[in-house]
Amino acid sequence: MARRDTRELILATSLGLFNEHGEPNVTTNLIADEADISPGNLYYHFRSKDDIVIELFKRFLARFQPLIDIAADERINGEDLWLQLHLAFEVKGEFRFLYRNLADLTARIPDLDRAMRALLERERRSIENLMTGLGKSGLLDASGVQKELLTQNLLLALTYWIPFSDLQDPEGLEDGSAQIFGIARVLLMLTPHLREPESSQLTDIAYTYLSRVV
Amino acid sequence: MARRDTRELILATSLGLFNEHGEPNVTTNLIADEADISPGNLYYHFRSKDDIVIELFKRFLARFQPLIDIAADERINGEDLWLQLHLAFEVKGEFRFLYRNLADLTARIPDLDRAMRALLERERRSIENLMTGLGKSGLLDASGVQKELLTQNLLLALTYWIPFSDLQDPEGLEDGSAQIFGIARVLLMLTPHLREPESSQLTDIAYTYLSRVV
């Protein structure tokens, strides 16, 4: 097997094991075993489990970052918002181990802590730009304080839906229903502050979505 | 020192250290050292760090449980809700290490995992009773699906405000401003679904609260 392929195999195997068993419960020996390579071969590619975690975070970021690039002057409609949320939840779900043990991982890996705080800050700015965009289109009806608290609530829901689902309904993360509830929760946080007909439109999207799982 | 006093000293010392440094970073040796007792004396009272965590969880539960006992036929006004939230956030903040490393702790201690899931279920029922109470008083205006999603959003915000604050604004947990933002976020999740004048009343309470910290 080519060197590059082995590296990719280790990453894919690690991601699967981390998501299934939780990162703290997966050793490099288990990864090597599951990938059917020697521990020495694994250490040739990655010096430690933390290096694997960091590389997976970079992969996650490369996929996630473009999804939250909302320009400050962008005008947003309901369909766009739904699609963007859907893709963002999908990518986070794919790398869910990162969010399941967030406090633990960031406490252990300083580089990840910095990167995660920076990502949170970029997500905050995207949400603020979304609000500004909705405001410019005349869709959003909220005071400055409400916008600030709504931003925080959205950020909290977007960051912690994975451990929340894990605690409430662990199967939901496997079968995708946790993502649907997560998106519906986010949409219905926004709708009370939107003008018609966009408010009803987003509510309908959320209901259609939910009807697939409840 | 009496036996009971030593036990209490160990618990108080552990709580302080867990909150300050994070539970994973605190060893029983550090606790014994900080409490100025021998490690042997500590092990006489608690067989392991997990036993200390479980005892602290029981103390937390004894304080928290009465705060969320909302009967299904209870009628709730804005002032009551504010007071109840304030006390509940205060107690969670006091035992914040439990919520900061929730996934890690529950993965490690099966008893805590069961207890935490049971608590989450009781919190969910309390929120549902709150909704029912607000509905009976003619205050709440939301469909069945909206109530369900609102319940989930509230539960998520009530469970993860501590790690969220930790990631965003670590000092806020020390100086109490994280709690105020947390309460304001919860109040302003509810207000769009409340009828007047209660909606404005709760918004005013949230603003008064926030003006102390921003």
Side-chain angles (χ1 to χ4, degrees), chain B:
Chain B
M1 193 159 44
R3 203 182 282 181
R4 204 186 128 68
D5 290 346
T6 308
R7 192 175 156 84
E8 292 306 316
L9 173 67
I10 293 168
L11 289 171
T13 307
S14 302
L15 181 59
L17 289 171
F18 290 167
N19 281 343
E20 192 181 349
H21 304 292
E23 185 276 343
N25 305 311
V26 176
T27 61
T28 47
N29 278 345
L30 181 63
I31 298 166
D33 203 42
E34 181 85 8
D36 206 14
I37 60 172
S38 71
N41 197 354
L42 185 145
Y43 282 111
Y44 172 81
H45 291 280
F46 296 97
R47 279 172 312 165
S48 69
K49 195 170 72 162
D50 287 2
D51 279 0
I52 298 177
V53 170
I54 288 172
E55 183 58 33
L56 285 173
F57 180 77
K58 285 183 189 163
R59 303 284 172 107
F60 161 66
L61 212 55
R63 301 257 312 275
F64 186 68
Q65 191 78 39
L67 298 175
I68 60 162
D69 267 342
I70 299 174
D73 58 355
E74 206 161 319
R75 297 211 164 191
I76 305 207
N77 66 40
E79 291 287 330
D80 293 345
L81 186 61
W82 173 85
L83 181 65
Q84 225 149 356
L85 275 173
H86 178 87
L87 295 171
F89 269 75
E90 202 165 66
V91 176
K92 276 193 181 169
E94 212 173 302
F95 291 84
R96 58 185 172 275
F97 80 96
L98 288 167
Y99 286 88
R100 193 182 268 157
N101 290 93
L102 192 56
D104 184 44
L105 283 170
T106 53
R108 204 182 72 210
I109 312 174
D111 281 350
L112 189 68
D113 188 48
R114 274 189 293 276
M116 203 42 114
R117 283 177 203 273
L119 176 61
L120 204 70
E121 194 43 44
R122 281 195 295 270
E123 280 189 85
R124 162 188 296 288
R125 277 205 302 273
S126 294
I127 297 172
E128 281 169 359
N129 289 345
L130 169 73
M131 303 266 179
T132 309
L134 290 169
K136 277 190 184 161
S137 317
L139 298 185
L140 192 74
D141 185 16
S143 72
V145 180
Q146 280 175 327
K147 269 187 235 174
E148 165 62 21
L149 293 170
L150 187 55
T151 301
Q152 290 183 17
N153 273 335
L154 291 168
L155 202 55
L156 204 161
L158 292 169
T159 307
Y160 292 99
W161 65 274
I162 288 173
F164 180 67
S165 307
D166 215 24
L167 206 58
Q168 274 219 126
D169 164 31
E171 289 79 32
L173 283 168
E174 305 299 325
D175 68 21
S177 61
Q179 292 173 38
I180 293 178
F181 275 111
I183 295 169
R185 283 197 300 265
V186 164
L187 289 178
L188 289 190
M189 256 187 213
L190 274 171
T191 48
H193 304 282
L194 294 182
R195 291 188 194 277
E196 293 296 350
E198 282 75 9
S199 176
S200 299
Q201 186 201 359
L202 272 192
T203 305
D204 288 346
I205 290 173
Y207 282 19
T208 308
Y209 232 110
L210 281 173
S211 66
R212 294 192 212 156
V213 288
V214 285

Side-chain angles (χ1 to χ4, degrees), chain A residues 140-152:
Chain A
L140 191 74
D141 185 16
S143 71
V145 180
Q146 281 175 325
K147 270 188 233 174
E148 165 63 21
L149 292 169
L150 186 55
T151 301
Q152 289 184 15

